[in-house]
Amino acid sequence: MGACSSCCVDRSRNALYEPLLQENEREAVADLLQYLENRTETNFFEGDPLRALSTLAFSDNVDLQRSAALAFAEITEKDVRSVDRNTLEPVLFLLQSHDVEVQRAASAALGNLAVNTDNKLLIVRLGGLEPLIRQMLSPNVEVQCNAVGCITNLATHDENKTKIAKSGALVPLTRLARSKDMRVQRNATGALLNMTHSDENRQQLVNAGAIPVLVSLLSSPDTDVQYYCTTALSNIAVDAVNRKKLVQTEPKLVNALIGLMDSTSLKVKCQAALALRNLASDDKYQLEIVRSRGLTPLLRLLQSTFLPLILSSVACIRNISIHPLNESPIIDAGFLDPLISLLAYDENEEIQCHAISTLRNLAASSERNKKAIVEAGAVQRVCSLVLSVPLSVQSEMTACVAVLALSDDLKPKLLKLGALGVLIPLTNSHSVEVQGNSAAAIGNLSSKIQDYQPFISVWDTKDGGLHGYLSRFLESDDTTFQHIAIWTIVQFLEGGNQDLISLITHSPNVMPAVQSLAQHLSNNKSHPQDEGGVADDGGEIEGLARRVISMLSPPAYYDLKEKH
């Protein structure tokens, strides 16, 4: 983005002289011609070359101003570096000229200089926005193009964005985004995009009427314009208030974005999926994307070999899968196998997280869906990967297994597939979330099953086994961990397997910890609420601990008299 290419200096122009020049102007013209002859060896941003250019720029003679502006444009086309105010001030002065050719060349030069980070800040600090805004209002397309291109470059620096938003530039930028000139459209939509990276600026863009313009330009024949508008709308859709406005005012938005997922441009496809992902933060859009047949193109992107496309599409389907009504349509559309394959996508942790989180969402509401996920091989893939993936992926994987383990029909299969062999070591993870999810999955697997042999076989293993896990959680300071462990023991006892009950009863750690919980919580019974007046779950843990002791009934474990 930047100056229009047609605004480079006209090399054939020889009309540097004008009758009645001042002496210093004649000398500056002669010097400049000499410097231009040796331009590859000349630094025009300091010393005598800059003084010659400045003399012509500040002249009252329009032809000399044109020569200076054209020279600045050509020089900065090939040589962009950090400059000081001595270079920028003559260019900014030329911007204020009433001559269209001077305006066009000066704004081209300024746009070139604005590629440099230091120059971006200095141009705005020296008051460059005001003349650029005036030039955006010019009837001349070339002047518009270069002025907008310069604004676009300036808007890539965070410090400038708020100043640009407050300068009054957004309304003319929005108007020029509809220009019939494709170069102006590209620069204007690029500038609008650059202004969408902060909450405040997004809101100012919305107030300036940018949303309907950006939506209308999604159908532009130019892929750059499509990309800028799609990305800008994606950023705008990050805000819940803006999504509500989009729902109310832009009924064609979802269909337009779905159509762009079939674009020939990879970057447009990617941004279309990301825009739908952000829209799908709201349940209305989650449903609308599915009803508008968005799943088919999303599945194609998901099966791509291009990482950004995979990431954008899997992030989108994750959000869509949050809605319970979308679970079966997503499974029926054929997403399970690709999602399970992405669990092993170790090039990108985020892709793995989105894939397993989607599977967990799909399993949330339906026994049919849980069964379909297990039959597709999700559990085998998780068991083979979960001990070696990053913690964030482990957390999602163990949470997914915990959801699947809620199905009474599937528990035997999960146990047969070796789920306990990976869940038990993860109860000792460095991540509290992984520990909790793994323990919850074990607890879910322990309830209402016929065969407890899988639990008996892992009671004492080299990593501490089931015995070590129960002991650690019962002795934990975390009441959630205590609750999961004591509840799991109740499930074991209710299952009635005498071998497992014997292991629990004769454990040197488990039963003393159960008794300690019951005794400790009983002694604190007079303080059932915290300072905020909210009861903790101590009472429930105490009840479960007493229930365990009652079910086992040995007198040694039932001496729970309160101390006074």
Side-chain angles (χ1 to χ4, degrees):
M1 271 174 278
C4 294
S5 59
S6 61
C7 297
C8 295
V9 66
D10 182 354
R11 297 173 184 268
S12 66
R13 182 178 178 84
N14 295 314
L16 285 172
Y17 292 99
E18 169 82 12
L20 304 177
L21 297 184
Q22 300 292 327
E23 184 62 30
N24 66 327
E25 293 174 344
R26 286 183 186 277
E27 291 177 359
V29 169
D31 289 345
L32 182 59
L33 287 171
Q34 181 179 349
Y35 294 135
L36 289 172
E37 287 295 320
N38 300 284
R39 69 189 66 200
T40 57
E41 302 172 4
T42 303
N43 179 1
F44 286 91
F45 302 119
E46 62 182 22
D48 291 337
L50 179 58
R51 277 192 286 275
L53 277 170
S54 298
T55 297
L56 302 187
F58 289 117
S59 170
D60 292 331
N61 187 303
V62 172
D63 276 343
L64 294 186
Q65 288 185 350
R66 288 175 182 168
S67 298
L70 288 166
F72 271 122
E74 181 175 277
I75 290 161
T76 56
E77 183 78 20
K78 299 175 181 178
D79 184 9
V80 176
R81 63 180 76 180
S82 179
V83 299
D84 59 20
R85 65 186 304 144
N86 292 327
T87 298
L88 289 177
E89 283 179 342
V91 179
L92 291 173
F93 179 81
L94 291 169
L95 273 184
Q96 300 175 54
S97 170
H98 295 293
D99 183 80
V100 169
E101 189 171 344
V102 174
Q103 292 175 1
R104 183 176 61 186
S107 56
L110 199 65
N112 293 336
L113 289 169
V115 171
N116 178 274
T117 301
D118 294 332
N119 295 343
K120 294 178 200 293
L121 294 172
L122 188 56
I123 289 167
V124 173
R125 290 171 185 167
L126 292 176
L129 291 178
E130 184 178 347
L132 286 170
I133 291 171
R134 284 201 300 272
Q135 290 198 13
M136 283 198 292
L137 302 175
S138 168
N140 184 280
V141 171
E142 302 295 338
V143 173
Q144 292 174 1
C145 181
N146 288 348
V148 177
C150 187
I151 292 281
T152 302
N153 289 342
L154 295 175
T156 60
H157 199 293
D158 289 342
E159 188 175 315
N160 286 341
K161 289 174 183 176
T162 300
K163 295 177 181 178
I164 292 171
K166 293 179 178 178
S167 70
L170 297 185
V171 172
L173 276 174
T174 300
R175 181 176 64 82
L176 290 177
R178 293 186 184 272
S179 171
K180 294 179 180 179
D181 187 281
M182 192 55 68
R183 298 165 304 163
V184 177
Q185 260 196 32
R186 286 193 199 107
N187 281 348
T189 51
L192 293 176
L193 165 59
N194 287 341
M195 296 300 297
T196 62
H197 295 110
S198 76
D199 296 344
E200 181 183 2
N201 293 342
R202 284 195 291 269
Q203 192 53 52
Q204 289 173 321
L205 268 179
V206 172
N207 295 341
I211 284 180
V213 175
L214 293 169
V215 173
S216 69
L217 290 174
L218 292 177
S219 59
S220 169
D222 185 81
T223 55
D224 285 335
V225 172
Q226 288 179 348
Y227 172 74
Y228 300 145
C229 292
T230 305
T231 310
L233 286 166
S234 179
N235 292 341
I236 288 171
V238 167
D239 305 318
V241 172
N242 291 340
R243 291 195 298 272
K244 185 175 180 181
K245 186 177 182 67
L246 287 166
V247 166
Q248 294 169 343
T249 62
E250 301 300 332
K252 298 180 180 179
L253 176 57
V254 167
N255 279 322
L257 292 172
I258 289 172
L260 289 176
M261 286 196 291
D262 286 325
S263 168
T264 56
S265 166
L266 290 176
K267 65 181 182 180
V268 172
K269 287 181 178 181
C270 184
Q271 287 302 324
L274 287 174
L276 289 168
R277 185 273 305 268
N278 289 340
L279 291 175
S281 298
D282 290 351
D283 56 0
K284 289 183 180 179
Y285 276 118
Q286 291 162 7
L287 289 171
E288 185 179 352
I289 292 167
V290 173
R291 291 169 181 167
S292 300
R293 301 181 181 179
L295 293 181
T296 300
L298 270 175
L299 183 59
R300 283 198 292 270
L301 299 191
L302 195 72
Q303 296 170 310
S304 164
T305 57
F306 184 50
L307 189 150
L309 281 182
I310 301 170
L311 179 56
S312 61
S313 57
V314 75
C316 184
I317 200 65
R318 176 185 182 175
N319 279 4
I320 294 171
S321 70
I322 292 171
H323 202 293
L325 293 180
N326 287 340
E327 294 171 16
S328 293
I330 291 171
I331 290 175
D332 294 341
F335 277 83
L336 288 185
D337 287 343
L339 287 169
I340 292 170
S341 295
L342 291 179
L343 298 182
Y345 201 97
D346 55 9
E347 297 173 51
N348 189 282
E349 178 179 336
E350 195 175 352
I351 287 175
Q352 291 176 295
C353 278
H354 287 315
I356 187 62
S357 180
T358 303
L359 291 170
R360 184 187 65 184
N361 291 340
L362 297 178
S365 301
S366 162
E367 287 293 310
R368 167 189 175 270
N369 294 344
K370 288 181 176 68
K371 183 179 179 182
I373 291 167
V374 171
E375 289 181 347
V379 176
Q380 292 98 314
R381 183 60 63 92
V382 167
C383 288
S384 68
L385 296 170
V386 70
L387 294 178
S388 59
V389 294
L391 286 177
S392 62
V393 184
Q394 283 184 342
S395 179
E396 294 290 344
M397 285 184 169
T398 49
C400 182
V401 174
V403 172
L404 294 171
L406 291 169
S407 170
D408 291 340
D409 292 340
L410 294 175
K411 290 174 186 180
K413 186 163 187 177
L414 268 60
L415 291 168
K416 185 176 180 180
L417 290 171
L420 289 177
V422 294
L423 292 171
I424 288 174
L426 291 173
T427 62
N428 204 22
S429 167
H430 295 298
S431 165
V432 173
E433 286 187 0
V434 174
Q435 290 181 50
N437 291 342
S438 301
I442 293 169
N444 291 343
L445 288 170
S446 71
S447 174
K448 300 177 183 177
I449 59 171
Q450 298 299 317
D451 182 9
Y452 281 90
Q453 187 57 42
F455 292 93
I456 296 169
S457 65
V458 296
W459 180 257
D460 278 312
T461 51
K462 62 181 180 180
D463 51 20
L466 180 61
H467 182 204
Y469 145 61
L470 291 172
S471 300
R472 284 195 312 275
F473 272 51
L474 289 169
E475 296 167 0
S476 170
D477 294 329
D478 188 323
T479 55
T480 300
F481 283 8
Q482 294 170 0
H483 187 278
I484 294 172
I486 197 71
W487 183 87
T488 301
I489 291 173
V490 170
Q491 307 315 303
F492 289 149
L493 298 182
E494 288 183 344
N497 183 287
Q498 294 304 312
D499 290 335
L500 185 53
I501 292 173
S502 177
L503 290 171
I504 293 169
T505 303
H506 293 95
S507 163
N509 308 109
V510 172
M511 289 311 300
V514 171
Q515 184 179 20
S516 177
L517 278 179
Q519 184 69 55
H520 172 73
L521 294 166
S522 179
N523 289 340
N524 289 279
K525 197 169 182 180
S526 59
H527 304 286
Q529 294 183 329
D530 61 21
E531 291 181 0
V534 179
D536 61 29
D537 61 352
E540 188 171 354
I541 294 172
E542 177 188 0
L544 289 170
R546 287 177 174 271
R547 186 174 175 187
V548 169
I549 294 168
S550 176
M551 292 172 78
L552 293 173
S553 299
Y557 293 140
Y558 205 66
D559 183 13
L560 297 175
K561 294 181 180 179
E562 296 183 11
K563 296 178 182 179
H564 297 283

